[in-house]
Amino acid sequence: MDTQTALFQQHRPRLFGLAYRMLGTPTDAEDVLHDAWLRWHAQDTSVLDDPEAWLVTVTTRLALDRLRRAKTEREHYTGPWLPEPLVPDAERPEAELERGETLTLSFLLLLERLSPEERAAFLLHEVFDYSHGEAAAILGIAEDACRQRVHRAKTRLREGRPRFSVDTPTQRRMLQRFIEAVKQPDLESLRALFAEDAIAIADGGGVVRAVLRPLQGADRLARLYMQIGIRFYSRPDVHFTTTTLNGEPVLLAWAGDTLVSATWVECEGDQITATLALRHPDKLARLAAVTKSRPLASLH
């Protein structure tokens, strides 16, 4: 491996972690890294004082351009849009790279509240530990402007859900209770699972059946999952597995060999405060291909 390629590979995990958190989809992040590599390959690296800073700057600006386009596309998306999880092979190096809790789907979804410029400034400063001055140089803006973007981003995120930490044992336990309740659906049992202000978000992209708006309230969620349990989860050809994606346990529902949903739960104590259900077939396809070849824990 030549020196130029070795340098890029050395910094690649950090660059991918940044691009993925910016865009919320692994394929878009990979496209950004491909474009960054082409620019890096054409660059005379011998004149660079700080190759990492050059690579981070190029990657950030490419991701910003792509995110601006994606924001416009997502405005016309049918129903809620959820980030696409990292497949297991891609996840481990990124999860160990920078603050694993900032890879969770809940956190990535919160980032959608931000403008592309706020998102970039926040990630550079708060997640990747660049100073305001360093982040400003990467973004090509004044330091005061960068500081203001980070402040606005933190305010917007606090207005959403302030907790970013992950209580994995609780999530696993609640996933088990959740699937037991929907396999033998009973309205009162389901109602007891959810906090009063619990919310359900499902991404079907208009391709498959899913709620078109976030659904809120324990009663509404209980009725929703009562219907889903009767119509789908209790079918004899349906089975469930669990794995870890983006640092959190996730419930995978299969109809035969077809992966039909991936569901994450957020919990507080012994109640579910949110369910995030990925239903879009295209987003599930790559995940299904990988998980079929790996041993997963089964839920009965």
Side-chain angles (χ1 to χ4, degrees):
M1 187 182 297
D2 63 81
T3 303
Q4 191 174 23
T5 302
L7 268 173
F8 186 86
Q9 292 295 80
Q10 175 187 337
H11 297 297
R12 191 184 192 284
R14 188 174 183 83
L15 302 177
F16 181 84
L18 173 60
Y20 175 66
R21 288 173 177 86
M22 281 287 292
L23 297 164
T25 66
T27 51
D28 284 347
E30 289 289 359
D31 287 344
V32 163
L33 258 63
H34 176 71
D35 291 345
W37 160 250
L38 292 177
R39 296 189 184 199
W40 173 252
H41 189 65
Q43 172 68 33
D44 180 3
T45 57
S46 66
V47 302
L48 298 178
D49 293 329
D50 190 341
E52 179 183 342
W54 190 96
L55 283 167
V56 170
T57 299
V58 169
T59 299
T60 301
R61 294 182 183 183
L62 287 169
L64 260 175
D65 289 342
R66 186 173 285 263
L67 182 57
R68 291 184 185 114
R69 296 194 300 271
K71 279 282 190 182
T72 301
E73 294 169 0
R74 290 170 194 174
E75 289 175 0
H76 303 287
Y77 194 82
T78 302
W81 179 91
L82 287 178
E84 182 181 343
L86 295 167
V87 296
D89 281 344
E91 181 188 6
R92 187 173 298 112
E94 314 313 334
E96 294 174 354
L97 171 66
E98 306 279 354
R99 301 182 187 180
E101 68 270 21
T102 65
L103 281 171
T104 67
L105 254 67
S106 299
F107 183 80
L108 294 175
L109 189 58
L110 268 180
L111 292 178
E112 290 294 307
R113 291 172 171 260
L114 309 179
S115 71
E117 294 75 19
E118 290 169 346
R119 188 166 180 163
F122 176 83
L123 288 172
L124 289 169
H125 180 66
E126 294 293 318
V127 177
F128 290 89
D129 294 323
Y130 289 101
S131 68
H132 287 295
E134 291 169 330
I138 290 169
L139 295 170
I141 59 176
E143 184 173 340
D144 283 348
C146 182
R147 195 181 301 273
Q148 289 171 2
R149 288 181 184 180
V150 173
H151 176 73
R152 286 198 302 267
K154 291 167 74 173
T155 300
R156 288 176 186 269
L157 295 182
R158 280 196 298 268
E159 290 169 355
R161 187 174 295 273
R163 181 183 59 82
F164 299 150
S165 60
V166 178
D167 183 353
T168 301
T170 298
Q171 287 176 308
R172 292 191 185 281
R173 184 173 70 252
M174 294 307 294
L175 276 178
Q176 181 70 55
R177 287 184 57 191
F178 172 75
I179 197 56
E180 288 171 355
V182 294
K183 280 182 72 72
Q184 296 181 324
D186 172 78
L187 200 58
E188 288 304 312
S189 298
L190 284 164
R191 173 65 178 76
L193 277 179
F194 299 109
E196 286 296 333
D197 60 348
I199 188 169
I201 300 174
D203 177 354
V207 180
V208 297
R209 190 172 183 177
V211 289
L212 294 178
R213 293 180 180 83
L215 198 65
Q216 190 161 20
D219 290 330
R220 299 177 76 187
L221 267 63
R223 290 194 294 271
L224 169 69
Y225 283 107
M226 180 81 175
Q227 294 175 9
I228 295 174
I230 292 171
R231 295 176 181 175
F232 177 71
Y233 284 158
S234 57
R235 281 169 32 186
D237 64 323
V238 172
H239 69 281
F240 304 90
T241 56
T242 60
T243 188
T244 299
L245 295 172
N246 289 52
E248 293 183 296
V250 55
L251 177 70
L252 305 179
W254 305 79
D257 291 331
T258 302
L259 180 61
V260 294
S261 70
T263 303
W264 293 258
V265 298
E266 295 179 33
C267 310
E268 186 175 328
D270 286 332
Q271 288 188 309
I272 294 173
T273 57
T275 63
L276 304 178
L278 192 60
R279 297 268 291 123
H280 197 299
D282 292 342
K283 293 184 178 183
L284 294 171
R286 184 167 64 162
L287 174 60
V290 174
T291 53
K292 280 180 182 178
S293 65
R294 288 172 170 263
L296 301 178
S298 294
L299 285 179
H300 303 288

